[in-house]
Amino acid sequence: MAWGGFETSEFKQQSRMFSDLLEREGRLFSRLEVNHRNHFDLALDLGDRTTVLDQAVSALVDSTNGV
């Protein structure tokens, strides 16, 4: 679960609540607040290996490879 650091407090709270729910159900792998980004920027970060989000997603995929 990822959200941007530039999100509104309500959006951050919603993301945290949803990630808490996923965690309680054993479905959350990780959560990440990406500084200096919003939810529009985060989509642009995917596929750019220099970004924190892309690196986190790549690590997650690598860790679940073969599961």
Side-chain angles (χ1 to χ4, degrees), residues 2-3 11-12 16-17 19 24 27 35 43 45 48-49 51 55 57-58 60 66:
W3 58 88
F11 191 90
K12 288 179 183 183
R16 288 184 187 112
M17 288 172 60
S19 65
R24 284 192 303 272
R27 298 177 180 267
N35 292 328
D45 286 355
D48 180 348
R49 294 178 191 247
T51 65
Q55 292 168 9
V57 170
S58 294
L60 177 62

Side-chain angles (χ1 to χ4, degrees), residues 1-2 29-32 34 46 48-49 51-63:
M1 171 72 66
F29 289 95
S30 64
R31 76 183 91 213
L32 175 65
V34 184
L46 293 172
D48 180 348
R49 294 178 191 247
T51 65
V52 172
L53 181 61
D54 187 80
Q55 292 168 9
V57 170
S58 294
L60 177 62
V61 169
D62 290 344
S63 72

Side-chain angles (χ1 to χ4, degrees), residues 6-7 37 66:
F6 283 161
E7 302 296 350
R37 306 304 274 163

